[in-house]
Amino acid sequence: MNTPIPIPSGKFKAARLLLNKKHRLETGTCLIEGKRFVAEALGRPGIVEYILVTRRFAQTPEGVEFLAGAGRPDLPAYFITEQQLGQLADTVTSQGVLAAIRLPAADHSEILRMKGDRLILVALDGVADPGNIGTIIRTCAWFGIDGVLLSERSVELSNPKLLRSTMGAVFHLPIATGVNLAGMIPVLRARGFRILAAEAGGEPAGSLLRGGGNKLLLFGSEAHGLSPVVREFADATFGIAGSGRIESLNVAVAVGIALDIAVSLR
């Protein structure tokens, strides 16, 4: 990586534009922060466009080590001030290292080209909390799930809180965004997927998720559940039994329980 230089005003303005959702979606570029997350991105060829660091971070032992081993030799790197960091960072106590990256979202056709007879895909319909989606992506990566579909009504993948919540898992599995589930589900069914929807009062998850075959697991928001147009595509619904008095599970927790069952029994 090139030795960092003070960031030009034009480059700083460009970095600030990445705080704007519309600009992120138009350019396919976003900011990530944190030494571990940035290092994870640097291990993926062609993703990182430039690095931003504070002098405070660069002067720490971990900062020296990071800059010495970070990325390709022609990768641009810029010093930013603590004030500039405050304008860019999404966390209150930032480590002082950020990167602009090309978001590695999967093309929908990449999901459809997958081959196998025990594939598991997770689809999120209208999930609005970015922290929940980030945790779900991380959980899917942990269980080796084959791909994630984010509906048009779900939070966009470039959301800073969502990305931070993935803890780098966004680089470890295909994630298709802006998916029209009503259009894609019939295609997956034609390719042999069984469509299973999470819903309170559904069949016991242990029996329904058991066995082989390709599965698409549908999860809706905690507040509204699956939209009617998506719910009608389900071949069956499954629920997660509980004995307490709480009305519903956090959707990220529900996904984790369902995947533990589905993976252990496939």
Side-chain angles (χ1 to χ4, degrees), residues 57-131:
F57 173 77
Q59 292 168 357
T60 64
E62 63 177 358
V64 171
E65 181 183 5
F66 174 82
L67 292 173
R72 60 184 193 268
D74 61 335
L75 181 66
Y78 303 101
F79 280 126
I80 55 174
T81 67
E82 296 293 337
Q83 182 180 15
Q84 289 172 327
L85 174 66
Q87 295 178 58
L88 296 175
D90 187 55
T91 57
V92 176
T93 55
S94 175
Q95 291 178 309
V97 53
L98 302 92
I101 68 167
R102 300 287 300 179
L103 198 62
D107 184 87
H108 299 185
S109 62
E110 181 180 341
I111 302 291
L112 295 175
R113 288 196 302 269
M114 290 180 176
K115 295 182 179 180
D117 57 6
R118 291 177 179 265
L119 300 174
I120 297 177
L121 301 177
V122 168
L124 304 181
D125 178 36
V127 178
D129 185 276

Side-chain angles (χ1 to χ4, degrees), residues 136-145 169-170 172-173 259:
I136 289 169
I137 290 171
R138 185 180 178 189
T139 302
C140 287
W142 172 262
F143 282 108
I145 298 310
V170 68
H172 290 272
L173 75 169
L259 293 186

Side-chain angles (χ1 to χ4, degrees), residues 11-40:
K11 181 61 71 173
F12 179 66
K13 290 178 181 177
R16 288 198 66 187
L17 282 174
L18 297 179
L19 302 178
N20 180 275
K21 173 183 174 181
K22 181 180 179 182
H23 186 75
R24 293 196 303 267
L25 294 177
E26 288 175 348
T27 62
T29 307
C30 59
L31 282 178
I32 61 173
E33 61 179 291
K35 181 172 70 72
R36 177 182 291 183
F37 200 174
V38 173
E40 186 88 32

Side-chain angles (χ1 to χ4, degrees), residues 164-182:
R164 190 172 69 252
S165 300
T166 71
M167 297 290 288
V170 68
F171 302 127
H172 290 272
L173 75 169
I175 304 168
T177 65
V179 177
N180 179 344
L181 291 177

Side-chain angles (χ1 to χ4, degrees), residues 10 28 50 68 145 205 209 220 250 262:
Y50 55 88
I145 298 310
L209 301 180
N250 172 277

